[in-house]
């Protein structure tokens, strides 16, 4: 059974803290993604990675960075958490494939609250 | 801005009825996908339709794609209470990237 796991389901942090969100997939997928989901705004892409140590900015990268040292792991980092980063964070992975547009497999999400 | 926009935003039906939700998008696409999200969980892939396809079936799901109108519809037949969820369309945009809509919240009443 294919799986994408995220390190925490719920997380509460203080403003200014450095926050790490971890995502691990066991499907040997090349592509990995971080989204945030907010009511009325749907899913917005923060960063994605198509290979180890490779990353591309998504639509809302400001205030975030990522790390992909191993193929199976993609980390999202909030350098200095702010209240407007309170959100649901979703990690996903997909095969690269010939078309590059394959289905994405999602983790269960991390609901982050920044106080 | 969101490329995929689902319509309606919310839908409430009785068990056994069919549910139809629509998705409109703005630019040309490689494929369009539909996902389901149960409350507070991750998304689950339902079906993918390529730009050269017009209709696709998977179990109780039927998806249509009209590239001339830049729209797609998802039909769930004989709905069940377990179909209660939010449904999102996602369009491929650029390399490796998808753009998700804001979703349709479906409630199936037993």
């Amino acid at each position: 059974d294919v799986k994408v796991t995220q390190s925490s389901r719920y997380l509460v942090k203080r403003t200014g803290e450095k926050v790490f969100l971890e995502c691990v997939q066991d499907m040997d997928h090349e592509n990995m993604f971080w989204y945030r989901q907010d009511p009325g705004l749907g899913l917005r892409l923060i960063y994605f990675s198509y290979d180890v140590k490779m990353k591309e900015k998504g639509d809302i990268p400001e205030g975030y960075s990522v790390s992909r040292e191993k193929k199976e792991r993609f980390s999202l980092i909030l350098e200095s958490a702010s209240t407007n980063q309170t959100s649901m964070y979703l990690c996903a992975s997909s095969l690269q494939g010939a078309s590059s547009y394959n289905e994405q497999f999602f983790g269960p999400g991390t609901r982050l609250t920044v106080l | 801005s969101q490329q995929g926009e689902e319509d309606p935003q919310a839908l409430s039906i009785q068990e056994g009825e069919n549910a139809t939700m629509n998705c409109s998008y703005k630019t040309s696409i490689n494929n369009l996908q539909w996902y389901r999200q149960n409350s507070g969980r991750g998304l689950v892939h339902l079906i993918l339709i390529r730009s050269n396809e017009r209709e696709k079936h998977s179990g109780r799901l039927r998806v249509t794609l009209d590239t001339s109108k830049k729209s797609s519809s998802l039909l769930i037949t004989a709905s069940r209470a377990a179909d209660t969820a939010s449904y999102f369309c996602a369009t491929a945009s650029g390399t490796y990237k998808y753009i998700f809509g804001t979703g349709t919240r479906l409630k199936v009443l037993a």
Side-chain angles (χ1 to χ4, degrees), chain B:
Chain B
S1 63
Q2 293 292 321
Q3 161 143 283
E5 295 292 338
E6 289 90 345
D7 169 57
Q9 288 187 333
L11 181 61
S12 187
I13 59 172
Q14 294 292 325
E15 205 166 29
E17 293 180 339
N18 295 342
T20 300
M21 50 205 90
N22 305 295
C23 169
S24 60
Y25 57 92
K26 295 173 185 168
T27 64
S28 61
I29 59 171
N30 179 283
N31 69 49
L32 185 145
Q33 302 182 28
W34 285 91
Y35 288 81
R36 184 187 74 227
Q37 183 180 36
N38 290 91
S39 180
R41 313 291 290 188
L43 278 71
V44 174
H45 181 263
L46 294 175
I47 196 165
L48 180 154
I49 186 166
R50 301 195 187 283
S51 59
N52 60 354
E53 296 175 312
R54 291 296 166 257
E55 187 170 314
K56 203 158 182 183
H57 296 255
S58 176
R60 294 185 295 113
L61 305 180
R62 174 178 165 250
V63 169
T64 61
L65 179 65
D66 187 336
T67 52
S68 66
K69 295 181 180 177
K70 292 186 169 56
S71 68
S72 172
S73 67
L74 171 68
L75 168 68
I76 304 173
T77 60
S79 61
R80 305 165 182 168
D83 295 327
T84 294
S86 292
Y87 292 83
F88 295 85
C89 66
T91 53
S93 173
T95 305
Y96 309 120
K97 288 171 61 174
Y98 292 96
I99 296 179
F100 286 80
T102 52
T104 291
R105 293 188 312 279
L106 173 65
K107 189 167 186 177
V108 181
L109 304 168

Side-chain angles (χ1 to χ4, degrees), chain A residues 9 31 33 35 37 40-45 48 50 59 88 90 96 99-104 106-108, chain B residues 2 30-31 33 35 37 40-45 48 50 88 92-102:
Chain A
R9 288 299 315 279
N31 300 333
F33 307 81
Y35 296 90
Q37 183 178 23
L41 296 177
L43 274 75
R44 292 180 291 166
L45 181 65
F48 70 100
Y50 52 89
D59 299 317
M88 169 74 104
L90 292 163
Q96 209 153 80
S99 73
S100 298
Y101 299 128
N102 296 307
E103 67 175 284
Q104 295 191 324
F106 282 82
Chain B
Q2 293 292 321
N30 179 283
N31 69 49
Q33 302 182 28
Y35 288 81
Q37 183 180 36
R41 313 291 290 188
L43 278 71
V44 174
H45 181 263
L48 180 154
R50 301 195 187 283
F88 295 85
S93 173
T95 305
Y96 309 120
K97 288 171 61 174
Y98 292 96
I99 296 179
F100 286 80
T102 52

